[in-house]
Amino acid sequence: MSTITESVNVTVPIRRAYDQWTRFEAFPRFMDGVEEVRRVDDTTLHWRTRIAGVTREFDARITERRPDERVAWKSLNGPTHAGVVTFHRLDDTTTRVTVQLEIDPEGFADKAGDRLGALTHRVRGDLRRFKTFVESRGVPAGGRPGRSLPPLTAR
């Protein structure tokens, strides 16, 4: 199991950073290799990814949701992973977004890529693209934000 922690400071208020992140359907706009994220219900997301020519589909459950603070998840099938994204107010217009991800790479190629730091590089790149995406928009794009759903506590 590998653990990755990466952060980025975005020049938007915490509410906008959280609202954009929790519009999961917009992930393909800034996450490399993510083709689709679709809400199945209030806590379940269906993902389709294509990385290094390999397409995978899996479901993930949101296990914790605290508006403007954090969103946590764990996979239900497919690649075994879990994580949390936290939002830290630095000032009125700046937010630190931190991703902590634990993943158990599947297969030889995934394990080799993990050892070479490919996963860390991917997460870092996704956060940089999120920064550009959220800072370039006046309002969040894609799907409904997690704020419109009731908070969840860890299960």
Side-chain angles (χ1 to χ4, degrees):
M1 181 84 56
S2 293
T3 301
I4 298 165
T5 302
E6 291 291 330
S7 296
V8 68
N9 293 345
V10 295
T11 310
V12 299
I14 197 167
R15 175 165 282 190
R16 188 177 320 157
Y18 176 86
D19 281 355
Q20 184 60 72
W21 191 274
T22 58
R23 292 175 187 254
F24 305 109
E25 295 86 351
F27 280 7
R29 293 179 172 182
F30 59 86
M31 286 189 174
D32 190 33
V34 175
E35 291 186 338
E36 178 188 28
V37 178
R38 179 176 32 86
R39 285 182 197 258
V40 175
D41 57 41
D42 286 348
T43 61
T44 309
L45 302 171
H46 181 78
W47 289 68
R48 187 176 68 238
T49 63
R50 184 168 177 80
I51 299 170
V54 177
T55 299
R56 290 193 174 109
E57 294 198 37
F58 61 91
D59 294 322
R61 168 129 325 120
I62 298 169
T63 58
E64 185 177 13
R65 181 177 47 233
R66 287 193 233 153
D68 300 340
E69 290 181 37
R70 64 192 291 124
V71 177
W73 74 92
K74 67 178 180 178
S75 62
L76 299 176
N77 52 39
T80 302
H81 67 279
V84 62
V85 178
T86 55
F87 303 85
H88 305 275
R89 181 187 177 278
L90 299 180
D91 61 37
D92 288 346
T93 60
T94 309
T95 304
R96 177 165 295 141
V97 179
T98 300
V99 174
Q100 294 174 292
L101 176 65
E102 289 189 1
I103 189 162
D104 190 8
E106 294 182 332
F108 176 77
D110 288 349
K111 289 178 182 179
D114 180 45
R115 283 192 296 279
L116 294 172
L119 222 50
T120 299
H121 181 74
R122 181 176 298 277
V123 172
R124 190 175 299 139
D126 289 345
L127 281 175
R128 280 194 312 265
R129 285 184 294 279
F130 175 73
K131 174 181 175 61
T132 301
F133 184 72
V134 73
E135 289 177 353
S136 69
R137 308 197 65 78
V139 295
R144 71 179 173 185
R147 147 178 341 284
S148 67
L149 301 170
L152 291 174
T153 55
R155 300 184 202 196

